[in-house]
Amino acid sequence: MSQVLTDQLPTLADLVSDLGDIPLKRVLAVPFPGSATVEDVVHAANLPRKRLCELIDGVLVEKAMGAPESLLAGWLLTQIWNYLAENNIGVALGEAGMVQILPNQVRIPDVSFLSWKHFPTRQVPREPVWDVAPDLAVEVLSRSNTPKEMTLKIDQYFESGVKLVWIVDPEKELADVYHSPTEKTQLDSSMSLDGEDILPGLAISLTELFSKGK
């Protein structure tokens, strides 16, 4: 009887699969997987050893990020803020910008842009986690990011109302531009990221971007 019951229960392998086959070391055991909340995301970020974690169906998953990825994300963020200095249409967040895009789902894009339509008074929230989906979400791939993890993340972004997603791959020097989970355009290093209707007139050279990581 106990063996039958055990076979019906989810395993850690099931959990890791549901999270996108990510390395187990990125999955926090406390709070117990399935029971974590937005408040736990904030608490983890304020520990002495800061842990930037996304919340995925009640599970805290540590954000995959290293210095090379941070360098590229920081440069992208600078380009967007330079654009916004001339075109006051919204605000941009960096790699610690926590946004609750869906119930019980907190994501932390490496860079995100949110237009003023989300904030009619042009006053941004003071809470550590913003309850809003960005217009643009940018992810700079790290080595521990898996294709399945990124597919799940892209699906959630568009389900929540994100309009444009950029996935930057430093190792391959490519960028994938998504307008939906199934509509992708791949750019090589000779091309530029286009702000399209989200950031009209913005063009970011991938040649210049990838040169920052060399």
Side-chain angles (χ1 to χ4, degrees):
M1 179 66 71
S2 61
Q3 183 62 44
V4 173
L5 179 60
T6 301
D7 289 344
Q8 294 175 346
L9 293 174
T11 66
L12 287 177
D14 295 324
L15 174 64
V16 170
S17 177
D18 289 344
L19 295 173
D21 295 327
I22 63 175
L24 192 57
K25 65 181 180 181
R26 287 178 52 203
V27 182
L28 272 63
V30 179
F32 190 79
S35 67
T37 65
V38 175
E39 288 72 23
D40 293 315
V41 173
V42 176
H43 176 71
N46 288 295
L47 290 172
R49 180 178 177 267
K50 186 176 182 179
R51 307 287 291 271
L52 275 178
C53 295
E54 297 184 310
L55 177 67
I56 309 170
D57 295 324
V59 182
L60 290 187
V61 176
E62 191 159 22
K63 179 178 170 67
M65 197 72 179
E69 297 82 30
S70 178
L71 186 156
L72 297 187
W75 191 81
L76 284 170
L77 180 63
T78 299
Q79 303 312 302
I80 292 175
W81 268 116
N82 287 342
Y83 169 89
L84 293 176
E86 302 294 329
N87 304 269
N88 186 15
I89 60 173
V91 295
L93 298 178
E95 63 194 55
M98 300 180 285
V99 287
Q100 183 173 357
I101 60 173
L102 293 166
N104 210 27
Q105 311 290 334
V106 174
R107 290 296 189 175
I108 312 175
D110 295 319
V111 180
S112 58
F113 165 72
L114 302 95
S115 66
W116 286 130
K117 71 181 181 183
H118 299 291
F119 314 111
T121 65
R122 300 201 173 192
Q123 296 293 315
V124 298
R126 302 304 300 171
E127 291 79 13
V129 179
W130 290 4
D131 188 10
V132 62
D135 300 274
L136 166 69
V138 184
E139 298 284 349
V140 180
L141 294 182
S142 299
R143 290 185 178 180
S144 70
N145 286 132
T146 68
K148 186 176 178 181
E149 174 190 13
M150 300 314 296
T151 295
L152 293 171
K153 185 173 286 193
I154 290 165
D155 286 346
Q156 280 195 351
Y157 280 147
F158 285 106
E159 181 184 353
S160 70
V162 174
K163 305 300 183 185
L164 184 63
V165 176
W166 296 343
I167 306 293
V168 177
D169 188 334
E171 289 198 357
K172 296 180 180 179
E173 295 194 355
L174 297 171
D176 290 332
V177 176
Y178 287 85
H179 298 94
S180 77
T182 58
E183 186 182 353
K184 179 183 80 171
T185 301
Q186 188 167 87
L187 309 178
D188 63 34
S189 59
S190 69
M191 304 170 80
S192 297
L193 292 164
D194 188 335
E196 301 184 22
D197 294 337
I198 307 302
L199 296 160
L202 174 67
I204 299 177
S205 165
L206 289 176
T207 299
E208 190 171 359
L209 170 64
F210 291 129
S211 72
K212 306 303 175 184
K214 295 180 179 179

